[in-house]
Amino acid sequence: MARTAAKITLSPSRDIPLDRLALSQSNVRRIKAGVSIESLADDIARRGLLQSLSVRPLLDAEGQETGRYEIPAGGRRYRALELLAKRRRLAKDAPIPCVVRAPGDDILAEDDSFAENAMRESLHPLDQFRAMQAMVDKGDDVEAIAAHHFTTPAVVRQRLKLAAASPKLHAIYADDGMTLDQLMAFTVADDHQRQEEVWAQLDHSFNKSPAFIRQKLTEDSVRVTDKRAAFVGIDVYVGAGGAVVRDLFEADGGGWLTDPALLDRLVDEKLKAEGTRILAEGWKWVTTSVDLPWDATRDLRAIDREEVAMSDDEQARVAALEAESEALCEQWSDAPDVPAEVHARIDAIDTELGALVDRPFVFDPAEMERAGAFVSIDRDGSVRVERGFVRAEDEPEQDMPDGAASPGAEGGGDESDPRGGEEGDHGTPAAGSDGEEEGEGLRPLPDRLVSDLTAWRTLALQDAFAKDPAIAFAAVLHSLVLGCFYAGTRESCVQVAANRVYFSNAPTNLRDSAPAQAIDALAAAWKERLPQSDKDLWDFLFTLGGDEQAMLFAHCASLCVNAQAEIVPKYDNGRISAHGVARRIAHSDVLARSVSLDLVAAGWRPTVEGYFRSVTKPRILADVAEARGPQFAEMIDHLKKADMAREAERLLEDAAWLPEPMRTPGLDDAEPGDAEGDAADGELPAFLAEDADGPDDAIDAELPVAAE
């Protein structure tokens, strides 16, 4: 017959005065960890002692109890109680609840100390999130919870955000089906159904990284940093009923706008209002667009304009601001810490100076009646207005005065007659003949003679021109600047065509690319210096030094470079041909090698919008295999086109890879898979690696520990 195990007898518990307790040398905790003694004392003062001390009687030399006790387990609580007694918030002989072990117990004191510390299980993070939510539900505010649990309000808000995630995701997290980082990523969206849908979509995906989860949850949203959002203003968007979501765990640039349709409507309304305001200035037309097309001003003539001069008061204000700025900079230049108000004042001075120095332009009202303006959104969300462009159909007709003819043709004779008007042609003697009637003025030279003479003059001019390289350079530069900066009917006797390139099919947002921004900045700098009228250009060019002339020459020449492989129409239009485009591209390769063209350094990357959306799935896989190796292509070959394109963009972001049309033979020849950090080393990128670890230790360390 089986014997029943003996029942356990627990150690007795009783209150022992604080001044009869002492720390035991058997306590195994030696390293400071967790909540500090001061913080633990404050917590005990607020809520009392939640856990008794484990003590053993101290014996004298004869083995008898002395009435004093040592503490092998609970030393931190004892030191906190001692600190409260020193602060006179606890009596020195206050009764302390203790569990008293028998003096001759077989269990060592070190065993008790180790067991109490090692066998203690911290709360699961999910239980902590829910506990904080319960405190809020019962009336505690975020700041109070943070203060009571020795953390910051921001951390409490993060925990509350995690507690608000879908209960289904909570259950998966509790069963270790997802990591804490993944759960944090789901908090970027408040819609539980959407959270669950995304998790279901990731069920069979190799990529379940937090970054990919955030991307899926925000793919139908607009970044707060988008220029459209800056143009409208977040307050206006929210006031119209729009919502903004934030990621409390990652730097999100301000969050995402969740209603793109509302944002587009607000953008359209504000742009139209800006267009109406500009039209009221007196222009014939105004065109509004979020993104101004690359070739918007192609074939349009820019009308003359004059900069409004500064008034005496404005000049005095500029001088005063510059003096104040110099004084502040000199005063604080060597200071290790500059006060925030000084920085603010310097910024305010720069803003006011910029507004004063950036002078407005005035236009001829008669010209404004046939010209127009473009209104768009600049990269920083401000309104971009480009005024003063005349369309070809709005140009005034070049009416000739009554009785006038083309130059050199007034009263001219038959052009086929090399001698001009002969005697008897019009019933009068030939010019210069003995029979010329007195009182009759000299007749104009015949057209043919004018042509012959100017041909001779042209040869002489060419000969002299060729002997003076400096003048030849200036004349060609003059022609280039006319073609690049002074659109319209302006002429030059130097027949060097300066045709600024306007792409036949420019990609979207090409104006926002890094090279376009650099070209625009350089063009703006030169436009600021060039004279308003082309009539003053010749004299101005000779005020420039040789280096400046060369830089202007290079800039104008660069605007005439066309390396675009244009789409050749099915039917010949007389403008381009396949052969001509091929020769153009071949020559562009020569130029590219000469300047060591580096498109990756210039900022080009293979993106979904700019590349992958326009190619087939097999092409995407081939490109990934070429850039990173075949194993990376195999990882994404099961995805749908949209997801495959997004993953390919991430894989090739730092691969320094270029599609074939963008490569320069002899310069960008690269072997497949030789990009830095590619498949050759067998390591996955961070965003493809599975997160097999448990909750992040750093995050767990922030969670509060209950009073011991």
Side-chain angles (χ1 to χ4, degrees), residues 515 519 561-564 585 587-604 656 658-669:
I519 292 172
V561 174
N562 186 359
Q564 185 185 29
I585 299 302
H587 183 239
S588 74
D589 293 337
V590 176
L591 292 183
R593 286 191 291 269
S594 300
V595 298
S596 300
L597 182 64
D598 187 343
L599 295 185
V600 175
W604 190 87
L658 295 172
E660 191 277 332
M662 300 190 77
R663 300 174 190 171
T664 300
L667 194 62
D668 294 320
D669 298 335

PDB file of all heavy atoms in Angstrom, residues 515 519 561-564 585 587-604 656 658-669:
ATOM      1  N   PRO A 515      20.461  65.852 -60.252  1.00  0.00           N
ATOM      2  CA  PRO A 515      21.096  66.610 -61.337  1.00  0.00           C
ATOM      3  C   PRO A 515      20.272  67.809 -61.782  1.00  0.00           C
ATOM      4  O   PRO A 515      20.823  68.878 -62.071  1.00  0.00           O
ATOM      5  CB  PRO A 515      21.236  65.577 -62.463  1.00  0.00           C
ATOM      6  CG  PRO A 515      21.208  64.252 -61.784  1.00  0.00           C
ATOM      7  CD  PRO A 515      20.289  64.433 -60.619  1.00  0.00           C
ATOM      8  N   ILE A 519      21.477  71.698 -61.889  1.00  0.00           N
ATOM      9  CA  ILE A 519      21.430  72.508 -63.110  1.00  0.00           C
ATOM     10  C   ILE A 519      20.578  73.757 -62.891  1.00  0.00           C
ATOM     11  O   ILE A 519      20.947  74.866 -63.298  1.00  0.00           O
ATOM     12  CB  ILE A 519      20.879  71.674 -64.282  1.00  0.00           C
ATOM     13  CG1 ILE A 519      21.892  70.576 -64.657  1.00  0.00           C
ATOM     14  CG2 ILE A 519      20.593  72.548 -65.496  1.00  0.00           C
ATOM     15  CD1 ILE A 519      21.362  69.576 -65.664  1.00  0.00           C
ATOM     16  N   VAL A 561      23.333  69.198 -74.610  1.00  0.00           N
ATOM     17  CA  VAL A 561      23.661  67.775 -74.709  1.00  0.00           C
ATOM     18  C   VAL A 561      22.379  66.957 -74.636  1.00  0.00           C
ATOM     19  O   VAL A 561      21.574  67.137 -73.720  1.00  0.00           O
ATOM     20  CB  VAL A 561      24.623  67.352 -73.578  1.00  0.00           C
ATOM     21  CG1 VAL A 561      24.852  65.845 -73.603  1.00  0.00           C
ATOM     22  CG2 VAL A 561      25.938  68.090 -73.705  1.00  0.00           C
ATOM     23  N   ASN A 562      22.185  66.076 -75.586  1.00  0.00           N
ATOM     24  CA  ASN A 562      20.993  65.226 -75.614  1.00  0.00           C
ATOM     25  C   ASN A 562      21.432  63.778 -75.764  1.00  0.00           C
ATOM     26  O   ASN A 562      21.896  63.370 -76.822  1.00  0.00           O
ATOM     27  CB  ASN A 562      20.059  65.625 -76.760  1.00  0.00           C
ATOM     28  CG  ASN A 562      18.750  64.853 -76.713  1.00  0.00           C
ATOM     29  OD1 ASN A 562      18.537  64.004 -75.855  1.00  0.00           O
ATOM     30  ND2 ASN A 562      17.862  65.155 -77.649  1.00  0.00           N
ATOM     31  N   ALA A 563      21.318  63.022 -74.684  1.00  0.00           N
ATOM     32  CA  ALA A 563      21.683  61.604 -74.718  1.00  0.00           C
ATOM     33  C   ALA A 563      20.458  60.727 -74.531  1.00  0.00           C
ATOM     34  O   ALA A 563      20.566  59.569 -74.145  1.00  0.00           O
ATOM     35  CB  ALA A 563      22.708  61.299 -73.636  1.00  0.00           C
ATOM     36  N   GLN A 564      19.277  61.274 -74.791  1.00  0.00           N
ATOM     37  CA  GLN A 564      18.046  60.507 -74.633  1.00  0.00           C
ATOM     38  C   GLN A 564      17.809  59.596 -75.830  1.00  0.00           C
ATOM     39  O   GLN A 564      17.897  60.034 -76.976  1.00  0.00           O
ATOM     40  CB  GLN A 564      16.844  61.438 -74.451  1.00  0.00           C
ATOM     41  CG  GLN A 564      15.541  60.691 -74.167  1.00  0.00           C
ATOM     42  CD  GLN A 564      14.340  61.609 -74.115  1.00  0.00           C
ATOM     43  OE1 GLN A 564      14.329  62.652 -74.787  1.00  0.00           O
ATOM     44  NE2 GLN A 564      13.342  61.245 -73.344  1.00  0.00           N
ATOM     45  N   ILE A 585      23.571  58.355 -79.130  1.00  0.00           N
ATOM     46  CA  ILE A 585      23.900  57.603 -77.926  1.00  0.00           C
ATOM     47  C   ILE A 585      25.375  57.211 -77.928  1.00  0.00           C
ATOM     48  O   ILE A 585      26.058  57.261 -76.895  1.00  0.00           O
ATOM     49  CB  ILE A 585      23.012  56.355 -77.807  1.00  0.00           C
ATOM     50  CG1 ILE A 585      21.531  56.774 -77.710  1.00  0.00           C
ATOM     51  CG2 ILE A 585      23.397  55.517 -76.602  1.00  0.00           C
ATOM     52  CD1 ILE A 585      21.224  57.691 -76.553  1.00  0.00           C
ATOM     53  N   HIS A 587      27.840  58.786 -79.279  1.00  0.00           N
ATOM     54  CA  HIS A 587      28.656  59.956 -78.935  1.00  0.00           C
ATOM     55  C   HIS A 587      28.501  60.316 -77.469  1.00  0.00           C
ATOM     56  O   HIS A 587      29.454  60.780 -76.824  1.00  0.00           O
ATOM     57  CB  HIS A 587      28.270  61.152 -79.812  1.00  0.00           C
ATOM     58  CG  HIS A 587      29.129  62.360 -79.564  1.00  0.00           C
ATOM     59  ND1 HIS A 587      28.612  63.569 -79.148  1.00  0.00           N
ATOM     60  CD2 HIS A 587      30.475  62.535 -79.635  1.00  0.00           C
ATOM     61  CE1 HIS A 587      29.596  64.439 -78.988  1.00  0.00           C
ATOM     62  NE2 HIS A 587      30.735  63.840 -79.273  1.00  0.00           N
ATOM     63  N   SER A 588      27.302  60.090 -76.903  1.00  0.00           N
ATOM     64  CA  SER A 588      27.109  60.382 -75.477  1.00  0.00           C
ATOM     65  C   SER A 588      28.001  59.499 -74.620  1.00  0.00           C
ATOM     66  O   SER A 588      28.449  59.911 -73.547  1.00  0.00           O
ATOM     67  CB  SER A 588      25.640  60.193 -75.083  1.00  0.00           C
ATOM     68  OG  SER A 588      25.291  58.825 -75.018  1.00  0.00           O
ATOM     69  N   ASP A 589      28.271  58.285 -75.098  1.00  0.00           N
ATOM     70  CA  ASP A 589      29.190  57.411 -74.362  1.00  0.00           C
ATOM     71  C   ASP A 589      30.598  57.996 -74.331  1.00  0.00           C
ATOM     72  O   ASP A 589      31.313  57.883 -73.333  1.00  0.00           O
ATOM     73  CB  ASP A 589      29.214  56.020 -74.993  1.00  0.00           C
ATOM     74  CG  ASP A 589      27.884  55.281 -74.843  1.00  0.00           C
ATOM     75  OD1 ASP A 589      27.130  55.639 -73.916  1.00  0.00           O
ATOM     76  OD2 ASP A 589      27.609  54.375 -75.642  1.00  0.00           O
ATOM     77  N   VAL A 590      30.993  58.598 -75.424  1.00  0.00           N
ATOM     78  CA  VAL A 590      32.306  59.241 -75.472  1.00  0.00           C
ATOM     79  C   VAL A 590      32.384  60.360 -74.437  1.00  0.00           C
ATOM     80  O   VAL A 590      33.353  60.474 -73.681  1.00  0.00           O
ATOM     81  CB  VAL A 590      32.589  59.787 -76.888  1.00  0.00           C
ATOM     82  CG1 VAL A 590      33.917  60.539 -76.910  1.00  0.00           C
ATOM     83  CG2 VAL A 590      32.605  58.652 -77.907  1.00  0.00           C
ATOM     84  N   LEU A 591      31.344  61.215 -74.399  1.00  0.00           N
ATOM     85  CA  LEU A 591      31.324  62.304 -73.426  1.00  0.00           C
ATOM     86  C   LEU A 591      31.300  61.758 -72.007  1.00  0.00           C
ATOM     87  O   LEU A 591      31.973  62.284 -71.111  1.00  0.00           O
ATOM     88  CB  LEU A 591      30.101  63.198 -73.657  1.00  0.00           C
ATOM     89  CG  LEU A 591      30.066  64.030 -74.940  1.00  0.00           C
ATOM     90  CD1 LEU A 591      28.816  64.892 -74.953  1.00  0.00           C
ATOM     91  CD2 LEU A 591      31.302  64.898 -75.060  1.00  0.00           C
ATOM     92  N   ALA A 592      30.510  60.705 -71.785  1.00  0.00           N
ATOM     93  CA  ALA A 592      30.389  60.135 -70.437  1.00  0.00           C
ATOM     94  C   ALA A 592      31.730  59.622 -69.934  1.00  0.00           C
ATOM     95  O   ALA A 592      32.092  59.824 -68.772  1.00  0.00           O
ATOM     96  CB  ALA A 592      29.351  59.019 -70.437  1.00  0.00           C
ATOM     97  N   ARG A 593      32.475  58.953 -70.813  1.00  0.00           N
ATOM     98  CA  ARG A 593      33.800  58.485 -70.401  1.00  0.00           C
ATOM     99  C   ARG A 593      34.735  59.654 -70.141  1.00  0.00           C
ATOM    100  O   ARG A 593      35.581  59.605 -69.241  1.00  0.00           O
ATOM    101  CB  ARG A 593      34.382  57.551 -71.470  1.00  0.00           C
ATOM    102  CG  ARG A 593      33.737  56.173 -71.501  1.00  0.00           C
ATOM    103  CD  ARG A 593      34.516  55.210 -72.393  1.00  0.00           C
ATOM    104  NE  ARG A 593      34.411  55.573 -73.802  1.00  0.00           N
ATOM    105  CZ  ARG A 593      33.471  55.117 -74.623  1.00  0.00           C
ATOM    106  NH1 ARG A 593      32.541  54.281 -74.157  1.00  0.00           N
ATOM    107  NH2 ARG A 593      33.447  55.477 -75.891  1.00  0.00           N
ATOM    108  N   SER A 594      34.580  60.720 -70.915  1.00  0.00           N
ATOM    109  CA  SER A 594      35.468  61.878 -70.750  1.00  0.00           C
ATOM    110  C   SER A 594      35.269  62.559 -69.404  1.00  0.00           C
ATOM    111  O   SER A 594      36.213  63.077 -68.813  1.00  0.00           O
ATOM    112  CB  SER A 594      35.226  62.887 -71.884  1.00  0.00           C
ATOM    113  OG  SER A 594      35.487  62.299 -73.150  1.00  0.00           O
ATOM    114  N   VAL A 595      34.012  62.576 -68.921  1.00  0.00           N
ATOM    115  CA  VAL A 595      33.726  63.248 -67.646  1.00  0.00           C
ATOM    116  C   VAL A 595      33.597  62.256 -66.496  1.00  0.00           C
ATOM    117  O   VAL A 595      33.214  62.631 -65.392  1.00  0.00           O
ATOM    118  CB  VAL A 595      32.439  64.098 -67.745  1.00  0.00           C
ATOM    119  CG1 VAL A 595      32.602  65.188 -68.780  1.00  0.00           C
ATOM    120  CG2 VAL A 595      31.220  63.224 -68.066  1.00  0.00           C
ATOM    121  N   SER A 596      33.907  60.964 -66.754  1.00  0.00           N
ATOM    122  CA  SER A 596      33.794  59.911 -65.728  1.00  0.00           C
ATOM    123  C   SER A 596      32.409  59.925 -65.087  1.00  0.00           C
ATOM    124  O   SER A 596      32.257  60.022 -63.863  1.00  0.00           O
ATOM    125  CB  SER A 596      34.877  60.086 -64.650  1.00  0.00           C
ATOM    126  OG  SER A 596      36.163  60.008 -65.223  1.00  0.00           O
ATOM    127  N   LEU A 597      31.390  59.831 -65.902  1.00  0.00           N
ATOM    128  CA  LEU A 597      30.007  59.911 -65.437  1.00  0.00           C
ATOM    129  C   LEU A 597      29.708  58.801 -64.438  1.00  0.00           C
ATOM    130  O   LEU A 597      29.957  57.629 -64.706  1.00  0.00           O
ATOM    131  CB  LEU A 597      29.058  59.808 -66.634  1.00  0.00           C
ATOM    132  CG  LEU A 597      27.567  59.912 -66.326  1.00  0.00           C
ATOM    133  CD1 LEU A 597      27.231  61.285 -65.769  1.00  0.00           C
ATOM    134  CD2 LEU A 597      26.739  59.637 -67.587  1.00  0.00           C
ATOM    135  N   ASP A 598      29.159  59.174 -63.277  1.00  0.00           N
ATOM    136  CA  ASP A 598      28.797  58.218 -62.225  1.00  0.00           C
ATOM    137  C   ASP A 598      27.349  58.484 -61.824  1.00  0.00           C
ATOM    138  O   ASP A 598      27.058  59.375 -61.029  1.00  0.00           O
ATOM    139  CB  ASP A 598      29.730  58.383 -61.022  1.00  0.00           C
ATOM    140  CG  ASP A 598      29.515  57.299 -59.975  1.00  0.00           C
ATOM    141  OD1 ASP A 598      28.468  56.627 -60.018  1.00  0.00           O
ATOM    142  OD2 ASP A 598      30.394  57.123 -59.111  1.00  0.00           O
ATOM    143  N   LEU A 599      26.428  57.708 -62.379  1.00  0.00           N
ATOM    144  CA  LEU A 599      25.010  57.937 -62.121  1.00  0.00           C
ATOM    145  C   LEU A 599      24.618  57.564 -60.698  1.00  0.00           C
ATOM    146  O   LEU A 599      23.688  58.151 -60.136  1.00  0.00           O
ATOM    147  CB  LEU A 599      24.158  57.143 -63.118  1.00  0.00           C
ATOM    148  CG  LEU A 599      24.288  57.560 -64.576  1.00  0.00           C
ATOM    149  CD1 LEU A 599      23.314  56.774 -65.440  1.00  0.00           C
ATOM    150  CD2 LEU A 599      24.026  59.050 -64.739  1.00  0.00           C
ATOM    151  N   VAL A 600      25.296  56.595 -60.107  1.00  0.00           N
ATOM    152  CA  VAL A 600      24.986  56.221 -58.732  1.00  0.00           C
ATOM    153  C   VAL A 600      25.350  57.362 -57.790  1.00  0.00           C
ATOM    154  O   VAL A 600      24.577  57.747 -56.911  1.00  0.00           O
ATOM    155  CB  VAL A 600      25.722  54.931 -58.342  1.00  0.00           C
ATOM    156  CG1 VAL A 600      25.496  54.606 -56.862  1.00  0.00           C
ATOM    157  CG2 VAL A 600      25.254  53.766 -59.211  1.00  0.00           C
ATOM    158  N   ALA A 601      26.537  57.933 -57.984  1.00  0.00           N
ATOM    159  CA  ALA A 601      26.936  59.079 -57.163  1.00  0.00           C
ATOM    160  C   ALA A 601      26.028  60.279 -57.413  1.00  0.00           C
ATOM    161  O   ALA A 601      25.816  61.097 -56.523  1.00  0.00           O
ATOM    162  CB  ALA A 601      28.388  59.450 -57.452  1.00  0.00           C
ATOM    163  N   ALA A 602      25.482  60.366 -58.635  1.00  0.00           N
ATOM    164  CA  ALA A 602      24.572  61.471 -58.959  1.00  0.00           C
ATOM    165  C   ALA A 602      23.204  61.298 -58.328  1.00  0.00           C
ATOM    166  O   ALA A 602      22.408  62.231 -58.348  1.00  0.00           O
ATOM    167  CB  ALA A 602      24.426  61.597 -60.477  1.00  0.00           C
ATOM    168  N   GLY A 603      22.941  60.111 -57.769  1.00  0.00           N
ATOM    169  CA  GLY A 603      21.703  59.939 -57.019  1.00  0.00           C
ATOM    170  C   GLY A 603      20.682  59.011 -57.632  1.00  0.00           C
ATOM    171  O   GLY A 603      19.589  58.869 -57.091  1.00  0.00           O
ATOM    172  N   TRP A 604      21.013  58.337 -58.756  1.00  0.00           N
ATOM    173  CA  TRP A 604      20.002  57.461 -59.352  1.00  0.00           C
ATOM    174  C   TRP A 604      19.941  56.133 -58.600  1.00  0.00           C
ATOM    175  O   TRP A 604      20.969  55.557 -58.239  1.00  0.00           O
ATOM    176  CB  TRP A 604      20.311  57.193 -60.822  1.00  0.00           C
ATOM    177  CG  TRP A 604      19.154  56.495 -61.504  1.00  0.00           C
ATOM    178  CD1 TRP A 604      18.074  57.077 -62.087  1.00  0.00           C
ATOM    179  CD2 TRP A 604      18.967  55.084 -61.648  1.00  0.00           C
ATOM    180  NE1 TRP A 604      17.221  56.132 -62.585  1.00  0.00           N
ATOM    181  CE2 TRP A 604      17.741  54.891 -62.326  1.00  0.00           C
ATOM    182  CE3 TRP A 604      19.709  53.973 -61.260  1.00  0.00           C
ATOM    183  CZ2 TRP A 604      17.243  53.627 -62.641  1.00  0.00           C
ATOM    184  CZ3 TRP A 604      19.212  52.706 -61.565  1.00  0.00           C
ATOM    185  CH2 TRP A 604      17.988  52.539 -62.251  1.00  0.00           C
ATOM    186  N   ALA A 656      24.601  49.555 -56.117  1.00  0.00           N
ATOM    187  CA  ALA A 656      25.336  50.294 -57.159  1.00  0.00           C
ATOM    188  C   ALA A 656      25.101  49.663 -58.529  1.00  0.00           C
ATOM    189  O   ALA A 656      26.011  49.561 -59.346  1.00  0.00           O
ATOM    190  CB  ALA A 656      26.824  50.350 -56.840  1.00  0.00           C
ATOM    191  N   LEU A 658      23.053  49.457 -62.276  1.00  0.00           N
ATOM    192  CA  LEU A 658      22.410  50.289 -63.288  1.00  0.00           C
ATOM    193  C   LEU A 658      21.826  49.401 -64.372  1.00  0.00           C
ATOM    194  O   LEU A 658      22.441  48.402 -64.756  1.00  0.00           O
ATOM    195  CB  LEU A 658      23.424  51.244 -63.930  1.00  0.00           C
ATOM    196  CG  LEU A 658      24.062  52.313 -63.042  1.00  0.00           C
ATOM    197  CD1 LEU A 658      25.166  53.018 -63.819  1.00  0.00           C
ATOM    198  CD2 LEU A 658      23.031  53.309 -62.559  1.00  0.00           C
ATOM    199  N   PRO A 659      20.644  49.756 -64.891  1.00  0.00           N
ATOM    200  CA  PRO A 659      20.122  49.026 -66.048  1.00  0.00           C
ATOM    201  C   PRO A 659      20.977  49.311 -67.280  1.00  0.00           C
ATOM    202  O   PRO A 659      21.650  50.350 -67.364  1.00  0.00           O
ATOM    203  CB  PRO A 659      18.702  49.574 -66.206  1.00  0.00           C
ATOM    204  CG  PRO A 659      18.711  50.885 -65.523  1.00  0.00           C
ATOM    205  CD  PRO A 659      19.719  50.795 -64.417  1.00  0.00           C
ATOM    206  N   GLU A 660      20.938  48.428 -68.236  1.00  0.00           N
ATOM    207  CA  GLU A 660      21.837  48.492 -69.389  1.00  0.00           C
ATOM    208  C   GLU A 660      21.797  49.832 -70.126  1.00  0.00           C
ATOM    209  O   GLU A 660      22.855  50.369 -70.477  1.00  0.00           O
ATOM    210  CB  GLU A 660      21.524  47.325 -70.333  1.00  0.00           C
ATOM    211  CG  GLU A 660      22.538  47.106 -71.438  1.00  0.00           C
ATOM    212  CD  GLU A 660      22.312  48.023 -72.644  1.00  0.00           C
ATOM    213  OE1 GLU A 660      21.137  48.396 -72.847  1.00  0.00           O
ATOM    214  OE2 GLU A 660      23.284  48.346 -73.337  1.00  0.00           O
ATOM    215  N   PRO A 661      20.618  50.449 -70.375  1.00  0.00           N
ATOM    216  CA  PRO A 661      20.623  51.719 -71.117  1.00  0.00           C
ATOM    217  C   PRO A 661      21.346  52.852 -70.400  1.00  0.00           C
ATOM    218  O   PRO A 661      21.721  53.837 -71.030  1.00  0.00           O
ATOM    219  CB  PRO A 661      19.125  52.038 -71.269  1.00  0.00           C
ATOM    220  CG  PRO A 661      18.444  50.724 -71.146  1.00  0.00           C
ATOM    221  CD  PRO A 661      19.245  49.959 -70.150  1.00  0.00           C
ATOM    222  N   MET A 662      21.536  52.721 -69.084  1.00  0.00           N
ATOM    223  CA  MET A 662      22.185  53.798 -68.340  1.00  0.00           C
ATOM    224  C   MET A 662      23.688  53.570 -68.175  1.00  0.00           C
ATOM    225  O   MET A 662      24.385  54.428 -67.646  1.00  0.00           O
ATOM    226  CB  MET A 662      21.532  53.946 -66.962  1.00  0.00           C
ATOM    227  CG  MET A 662      20.049  54.284 -67.013  1.00  0.00           C
ATOM    228  SD  MET A 662      19.375  54.725 -65.400  1.00  0.00           S
ATOM    229  CE  MET A 662      19.989  56.393 -65.228  1.00  0.00           C
ATOM    230  N   ARG A 663      24.185  52.443 -68.609  1.00  0.00           N
ATOM    231  CA  ARG A 663      25.601  52.140 -68.436  1.00  0.00           C
ATOM    232  C   ARG A 663      26.440  52.764 -69.548  1.00  0.00           C
ATOM    233  O   ARG A 663      25.982  52.903 -70.673  1.00  0.00           O
ATOM    234  CB  ARG A 663      25.815  50.626 -68.412  1.00  0.00           C
ATOM    235  CG  ARG A 663      25.067  49.917 -67.291  1.00  0.00           C
ATOM    236  CD  ARG A 663      25.204  48.419 -67.406  1.00  0.00           C
ATOM    237  NE  ARG A 663      24.310  47.741 -66.486  1.00  0.00           N
ATOM    238  CZ  ARG A 663      24.083  46.439 -66.489  1.00  0.00           C
ATOM    239  NH1 ARG A 663      24.709  45.666 -67.370  1.00  0.00           N
ATOM    240  NH2 ARG A 663      23.248  45.904 -65.628  1.00  0.00           N
ATOM    241  N   THR A 664      27.647  53.096 -69.190  1.00  0.00           N
ATOM    242  CA  THR A 664      28.604  53.615 -70.157  1.00  0.00           C
ATOM    243  C   THR A 664      29.624  52.519 -70.466  1.00  0.00           C
ATOM    244  O   THR A 664      30.356  52.103 -69.562  1.00  0.00           O
ATOM    245  CB  THR A 664      29.333  54.847 -69.604  1.00  0.00           C
ATOM    246  OG1 THR A 664      28.374  55.863 -69.300  1.00  0.00           O
ATOM    247  CG2 THR A 664      30.325  55.384 -70.628  1.00  0.00           C
ATOM    248  N   PRO A 665      29.668  52.042 -71.710  1.00  0.00           N
ATOM    249  CA  PRO A 665      30.639  50.996 -72.050  1.00  0.00           C
ATOM    250  C   PRO A 665      32.053  51.431 -71.698  1.00  0.00           C
ATOM    251  O   PRO A 665      32.475  52.540 -72.009  1.00  0.00           O
ATOM    252  CB  PRO A 665      30.459  50.833 -73.565  1.00  0.00           C
ATOM    253  CG  PRO A 665      29.066  51.294 -73.835  1.00  0.00           C
ATOM    254  CD  PRO A 665      28.813  52.400 -72.864  1.00  0.00           C
ATOM    255  N   GLY A 666      32.774  50.521 -71.029  1.00  0.00           N
ATOM    256  CA  GLY A 666      34.131  50.836 -70.625  1.00  0.00           C
ATOM    257  C   GLY A 666      34.223  51.574 -69.312  1.00  0.00           C
ATOM    258  O   GLY A 666      35.312  51.790 -68.789  1.00  0.00           O
ATOM    259  N   LEU A 667      33.060  51.970 -68.753  1.00  0.00           N
ATOM    260  CA  LEU A 667      33.059  52.719 -67.502  1.00  0.00           C
ATOM    261  C   LEU A 667      32.216  52.018 -66.450  1.00  0.00           C
ATOM    262  O   LEU A 667      32.597  51.931 -65.289  1.00  0.00           O
ATOM    263  CB  LEU A 667      32.524  54.138 -67.734  1.00  0.00           C
ATOM    264  CG  LEU A 667      32.756  55.170 -66.630  1.00  0.00           C
ATOM    265  CD1 LEU A 667      34.236  55.397 -66.412  1.00  0.00           C
ATOM    266  CD2 LEU A 667      32.060  56.476 -66.979  1.00  0.00           C
ATOM    267  N   ASP A 668      31.050  51.494 -66.849  1.00  0.00           N
ATOM    268  CA  ASP A 668      30.132  50.837 -65.924  1.00  0.00           C
ATOM    269  C   ASP A 668      30.052  49.339 -66.176  1.00  0.00           C
ATOM    270  O   ASP A 668      29.065  48.701 -65.828  1.00  0.00           O
ATOM    271  CB  ASP A 668      28.719  51.442 -66.044  1.00  0.00           C
ATOM    272  CG  ASP A 668      28.679  52.874 -65.582  1.00  0.00           C
ATOM    273  OD1 ASP A 668      29.336  53.171 -64.583  1.00  0.00           O
ATOM    274  OD2 ASP A 668      27.999  53.696 -66.225  1.00  0.00           O
ATOM    275  N   ASP A 669      31.082  48.758 -66.793  1.00  0.00           N
ATOM    276  CA  ASP A 669      31.074  47.314 -67.015  1.00  0.00           C
ATOM    277  C   ASP A 669      31.343  46.626 -65.688  1.00  0.00           C
ATOM    278  O   ASP A 669      32.405  46.799 -65.087  1.00  0.00           O
ATOM    279  CB  ASP A 669      32.160  46.913 -68.021  1.00  0.00           C
ATOM    280  CG  ASP A 669      31.916  47.554 -69.382  1.00  0.00           C
ATOM    281  OD1 ASP A 669      30.743  47.863 -69.660  1.00  0.00           O
ATOM    282  OD2 ASP A 669      32.883  47.739 -70.143  1.00  0.00           O
TER     283      ASP A 669
END
